[in-house]
Amino acid sequence: MLDTIFLGLKMKTPVMVAAGPWSKDGKAIRRALEAGAGAVITESIISDIRPDMRPNMAYDGSGVQNIHLYSDIQIEGWEREMEIAKRGDGIVIASVSGHTPSELAYLASKMEKFGADGIEVSVSNPMGENLEVIASNPQVVSEITKEVVSNVKIPVMVKLSQNTTNISQVAKAVKQAGGWGVSAINSIRCILGVDTETCRPTLATYGGYSGPPIRPLGLASVATLAQSVDLPVCGIGGVETYRHVLEYIMLGASAVQVGSALLVHGSERITEIVAGLEQWAEEKGIRSVEEIRGKALNHLKSFDEMIIEPAISTARGGICTGVCQKCIEACVYNAIQKLNGEIKVNRELCTGCGFCTFICPEKKLNLEW
Amino acid sequence: MNIRHIAEKAGVSVATVSRVLNHPENVAEKTRAKIEQIMKEEEYTPNWFARGLNFNKTGTIGVMIPQVLNQVYMEMAKGVEDVAHQKGYISFMCNAEEDVEKERRYLELLIHRRVDGLVLLCSCLEEQDFKLAEEAGVPVVLVGGCKYNPGLNLVSVNFQESEKKATDHLIHIGYRRIALLYGNASGVENEEKIQGYKKALLQAQHRVEERYLMQVENSIEGGYLGAKKLVEMKQPPEAILTTSDMIAFGVMEAIKDQEKRIPEDIAVVGFDNVRMSNLVEPKLTTVDIPLHKMGIYGARLLFDMIESEEQEEPKTILLQTKMKIRKSCGHKDRIGEMF
């Protein structure tokens, strides 16, 4: 078992289900918990429900755009949904979304009363907002966090946005206001594409972008937060396999949320991720998240700290049976040639950038010195 | 058919039938089903008034509406009613016509009818009136700008900051002569809006000119008459702000009747964002007040009190307002941002 303690909550696995339509009501939350999730976050609950545009979700083969406007169940209805969600074991965290401290504190205290184990304050949704989401203003985030924390006894984390100048400052505001943790990142303001025949954008308005393309952004945010703020971090963004979970943990996350993958690959994906992680941990003899948390941060250096090795691209064995010319086409320094199937790297021209080692499908190239 | 007959027919005690009605969770599934079946067959419904006497609850709330024809209050009242309906309550909606005596009379009547609680929209009532409710043990929630509010549950927005935002917006576009037409409705709300207007002007080092600050009736007619005076001035304002969309609609009509263009000759900005503000031509730039949400929270706080066993501390819930930038203010730069 790869257990973890996040926000003071003991979870059997660090894999959680993110706020979204896959946790829209008590039944859906129950299903996700039974599928193995360490905790489930409810779809974001708002003060007054708004009807959704149709369509409100789109996919381009790699990322998802949504303009879906939060839970369609009023706070009163969540009493019943929470009763269903809590009909067995499992941690349920309530996501509440709003604009003012008193509004969010009200929603949070209601959800606490209905049995939520924790609160995720979502002030970073890009849908229906102006260019600046609330989470880009540390002062406002601080006021909101303070009000919510002082009105509930359960742990409170704040969901942060990549759409902000300095995410670390916002997280510090959360900590200073008494927040228990942060989660990052929310979906990113986007337009998925334009149909060039009809001149129409894929969806009718700006929405939130999620899925694998935002994972590198999520990883960078989580690493920054883990390095600069003394608060537990929950990683979010493009998690599709257990390896992605490990990436977030190794960059400092205590837990990880899975969202869009459940939409694209189906709800059983959560079971696969949890099982994959379990197996990996067992093979490595690792029993808790803390043993591996932040391990990759040790290798994350600033430019000042780096020692430059004079490595250049080197072909393993020289002979390449592939018909592709990818390494040759990709080398902006014209350092690679292929003669009679043999890869030759010009040692004078190669700058050691390393791009060819990633582009080669056969993994023939390596940086060595 | 009364509760005794049902008990006899089911072969149980009156107490058991009573429990089925009031605490069904405490009655065995089989017994409950049997009694419910008999009630259905006999078309028995409990006497709700008598029930009210027993439990001190009547399943009713009072909603005080300052002016039933005003869209602002219609939206708020709908918010209250939406929650009340979900809770299985009936709402008595009273039209006070912005008349404090009428409102006071309705308050007394509602208390005598033993409503379980009261939501007062933008109330003109005073301290002694709330004492009456307190003595009768009827919980009260205020919604919007009310004349008297200390120590009471309140749902509102920051009116001063909101009107300041609207004034700032006009200053930012470049207008210097900005007038404010304010309504005659319940004191505090307009007072705060006027403060917001003055604050913005002073901050931008513009003079507050009393001739551009005019009280009118809070209606389309009021706005029309006020704007007519402003437009006929030797040096008419470049922009007219209002404290309600209703006044703004009148302003727009007056400007058009004077054969001037909006916003080229005179810009107009409303307040409230009622549904019609998006339908007039040009579409009205205004301050969006979450009217429905205010009503919803009014009812939420009320039911929290009705259902709570203990006396809770009075709460204040402040909600967010937003500039809705449309065409009537003559500002193009920021329209695209406003999603």
Side-chain angles (χ1 to χ4, degrees):
Chain A
M1 281 243 296
L2 193 64
D3 56 21
T4 189
I5 293 177
F6 179 63
L7 305 175
L9 302 167
K10 194 166 167 26
M11 306 198 304
K12 57 185 196 295
T13 171
V15 185
M16 302 161 65
V17 168
W22 40 79
S23 53
K24 66 188 278 283
D25 56 19
K27 262 193 199 155
I29 295 169
R30 200 63 242 143
R31 265 201 305 275
L33 286 169
E34 275 156 18
V40 177
I41 301 175
T42 68
E43 186 162 28
S44 289
I45 298 159
I46 54 174
S47 292
D48 189 8
I49 58 172
R50 292 170 68 175
D52 262 322
M53 279 292 300
R54 296 174 189 213
N56 53 59
M57 286 194 248
Y59 179 58
D60 64 3
S62 54
V64 175
Q65 179 187 357
N66 88 82
I67 54 170
H68 171 65
L69 292 169
Y70 321 114
S71 172
D72 59 2
I73 300 171
Q74 293 281 32
I75 184 78
E76 286 78 16
W78 275 97
E79 181 167 17
R80 182 189 65 242
E81 300 309 326
M82 286 299 288
E83 193 264 313
I84 296 167
K86 298 290 282 180
R87 272 182 197 163
D89 287 343
I91 295 167
V92 181
I93 293 173
S95 166
V96 295
S97 190
H99 294 93
T100 65
S102 48
E103 175 186 14
L104 282 156
Y106 184 88
L107 294 174
S109 63
K110 280 279 152 183
M111 289 306 288
E112 177 185 40
K113 201 170 151 212
F114 299 158
D117 300 291
I119 299 290
E120 182 178 69
V121 181
S122 185
V123 283
S124 44
N125 297 305
M127 281 76 76
E129 299 295 330
N130 296 348
L131 274 172
E132 283 175 19
V133 292
I134 295 174
S136 55
N137 186 334
Q139 177 61 31
V140 181
V141 168
S142 167
E143 284 163 19
I144 286 173
T145 309
K146 220 175 266 173
E147 187 76 9
V148 174
V149 168
S150 65
N151 275 283
V152 297
K153 293 186 186 73
I154 50 177
V156 175
M157 66 171 156
V158 179
K159 191 168 181 178
L160 305 181
S161 170
Q162 167 81 14
N163 291 26
T164 177
T165 317
N166 188 334
I167 197 170
S168 171
Q169 242 171 40
V170 186
K172 282 174 184 158
V174 172
K175 181 175 167 60
Q176 180 244 330
W180 296 50
V182 290
S183 51
I185 54 178
N186 210 320
S187 60
I188 293 166
R189 185 176 158 98
C190 80
I191 291 171
L192 195 65
V194 173
D195 182 330
T196 49
E197 294 306 308
T198 62
C199 304
R200 281 172 190 277
T202 312
L203 289 177
T205 184
Y206 298 96
Y209 195 42
S210 61
I214 75 161
R215 192 172 58 249
L217 310 181
L219 290 172
S221 294
V222 165
T224 304
L225 292 169
Q227 282 184 322
S228 60
V229 190
D230 181 23
L231 267 185
V233 183
C234 188
I236 320 170
V239 173
E240 296 221 298
T241 70
Y242 77 92
R243 292 244 167 232
H244 301 149
V245 175
L246 288 168
E247 287 178 13
Y248 273 107
I249 292 173
M250 288 176 178
L251 286 170
S254 301
V256 169
Q257 296 179 22
V258 182
S260 306
L262 307 175
L263 197 64
V264 178
H265 304 291
S267 57
E268 58 279 8
R269 180 53 70 106
I270 197 81
T271 315
E272 292 164 32
I273 295 174
V274 171
L277 193 64
E278 286 297 307
Q279 198 186 340
W280 180 89
E282 204 176 302
E283 281 166 13
K284 303 273 181 190
I286 289 164
R287 301 186 57 83
S288 101
V289 166
E290 278 311 302
E291 290 175 46
I292 47 166
R293 193 172 72 83
K295 286 277 182 202
L297 290 175
N298 303 334
H299 304 285
L300 190 65
K301 295 195 170 87
S302 71
F303 280 102
D304 297 342
E305 296 169 297
M306 285 187 266
I307 296 160
I308 299 160
E309 296 175 349
I312 57 163
S313 182
T314 311
R316 284 178 192 145
I319 305 291
C320 177
T321 50
V323 287
C324 80
Q325 300 275 320
K326 282 191 175 153
C327 57
I328 297 162
E329 287 160 3
C331 183
V332 289
Y333 307 103
N334 294 319
I336 306 176
Q337 279 182 306
K338 203 151 128 184
L339 292 170
N340 305 323
E342 192 171 347
I343 299 173
K344 293 268 186 205
V345 179
N346 183 324
R347 303 180 67 87
E348 299 300 315
L349 293 176
C350 177
T351 64
C353 77
F355 192 72
C356 55
T357 66
F358 289 92
I359 206 97
C360 175
E362 306 284 331
K363 297 283 167 235
K364 280 270 174 192
L365 295 155
N366 210 18
L367 277 197
E368 282 169 17
W369 66 287
Chain B
M1 181 59 56
N2 63 28
I3 194 165
R4 213 160 279 122
H5 297 124
I6 299 289
E8 265 169 36
K9 223 165 166 199
V12 298
S13 68
V14 172
T16 308
V17 181
S18 169
R19 265 204 299 281
V20 169
L21 290 171
N22 300 311
H23 294 286
E25 68 277 9
N26 295 341
V27 183
E29 182 73 42
K30 225 171 116 186
T31 319
R32 190 168 80 197
K34 186 177 159 195
I35 294 172
E36 280 171 354
Q37 182 58 34
I38 293 171
M39 285 193 225
K40 208 167 152 194
E41 283 165 13
E42 301 292 334
E43 292 177 1
Y44 170 75
T45 49
N47 179 335
W48 289 102
F49 189 70
R51 227 169 113 90
L53 294 176
N54 282 340
F55 291 95
N56 226 359
K57 291 263 154 57
T58 53
T60 59
I61 62 165
V63 185
M64 197 75 78
I65 304 171
Q67 176 51 267
V68 86
L69 291 177
N70 189 324
Q71 284 190 39
V72 168
Y73 304 127
M74 284 156 68
E75 296 270 355
M76 285 182 180
K78 173 157 167 49
V80 178
E81 203 270 339
D82 281 347
V83 176
H85 173 74
Q86 206 179 358
K87 292 272 179 189
Y89 274 67
I90 291 179
S91 310
F92 290 130
M93 304 233 179
C94 299
N95 179 24
E97 308 246 23
E98 289 168 342
D99 171 357
V100 67
E101 282 310 319
K102 196 171 174 196
E103 187 174 354
R104 193 166 282 143
R105 218 157 45 244
Y106 269 134
L107 179 84
E108 287 164 10
L109 282 172
L110 288 167
I111 292 173
H112 286 152
R113 303 229 166 181
R114 309 189 62 163
V115 290
D116 296 334
L118 288 161
V119 178
L120 309 180
L121 310 180
C122 306
S123 171
C124 303
L125 293 178
E126 288 156 18
E127 194 173 356
Q128 74 267 20
D129 300 310
F130 294 109
K131 283 231 171 76
L132 189 73
E134 200 187 329
E135 279 159 17
V138 180
V140 174
V141 178
L142 301 177
V143 176
C146 296
K147 198 161 175 189
Y148 176 86
N149 64 35
L152 292 164
N153 279 278
L154 173 71
V155 182
S156 195
V157 298
N158 189 331
F159 289 108
Q160 190 186 113
E161 194 188 281
S162 307
E163 195 71 89
K164 181 173 179 296
K165 252 191 274 187
T167 318
D168 283 340
H169 174 68
L170 288 173
I171 293 170
H172 183 76
I173 299 173
Y175 299 113
R176 291 192 66 89
R177 299 195 308 275
I178 301 167
L180 176 69
L181 289 186
Y182 61 96
N184 55 348
S186 75
V188 266
E189 186 178 321
N190 284 325
E191 206 42 58
E192 284 184 35
K193 289 177 192 168
I194 294 166
Q195 290 309 322
Y197 161 79
K198 286 185 175 171
K199 212 167 151 183
L201 289 180
L202 292 174
Q203 219 170 59
Q205 294 175 334
H206 289 200
R207 257 210 329 267
V208 177
E209 293 192 47
E210 289 303 325
R211 64 191 170 120
Y212 289 149
L213 192 56
M214 198 184 287
Q215 188 186 39
V216 296
E217 191 185 273
N218 184 27
S219 64
I220 294 179
E221 292 79 8
Y224 184 92
L225 296 173
K228 195 162 166 281
K229 274 191 201 157
L230 288 173
V231 176
E232 284 167 357
M233 281 180 178
K234 234 187 215 154
Q235 198 176 33
E238 297 163 317
I240 301 177
L241 264 174
T242 64
T243 55
S244 76
D245 287 349
M246 286 299 148
I247 296 177
F249 296 147
V251 169
M252 291 174 81
E253 207 190 330
I255 295 172
K256 286 180 194 166
D257 280 357
Q258 302 279 318
E259 288 175 5
K260 303 255 191 249
R261 294 161 306 163
I262 309 168
E264 292 84 350
D265 299 319
I266 299 178
V268 183
V269 171
F271 198 97
D272 293 329
N273 194 26
V274 298
R275 284 160 205 242
M276 238 161 63
S277 61
N278 204 14
L279 300 172
V280 288
E281 194 45 50
K283 291 179 192 241
L284 181 66
T285 290
T286 185
V287 184
D288 178 60
I289 306 296
L291 302 165
H292 185 255
K293 217 196 242 187
M294 287 167 80
I296 280 195
Y297 267 110
R300 278 179 185 158
L301 292 188
L302 186 69
F303 285 108
D304 285 352
M305 283 197 286
I306 292 173
E307 288 165 3
S308 164
E309 313 264 294
E310 314 123 49
Q311 186 90 19
E312 283 184 41
E313 283 286 299
K315 280 200 185 81
T316 296
I317 292 198
L318 285 184
L319 298 171
Q320 192 203 32
T321 63
K322 261 187 194 174
M323 278 304 292
K324 272 273 170 220
I325 298 172
R326 302 199 181 102
K327 299 275 156 78
S328 72
C329 61
H331 191 17
K332 294 181 198 81
D333 292 4
R334 284 184 60 198
I335 288 177
E337 270 183 38
M338 290 297 129
F339 283 97

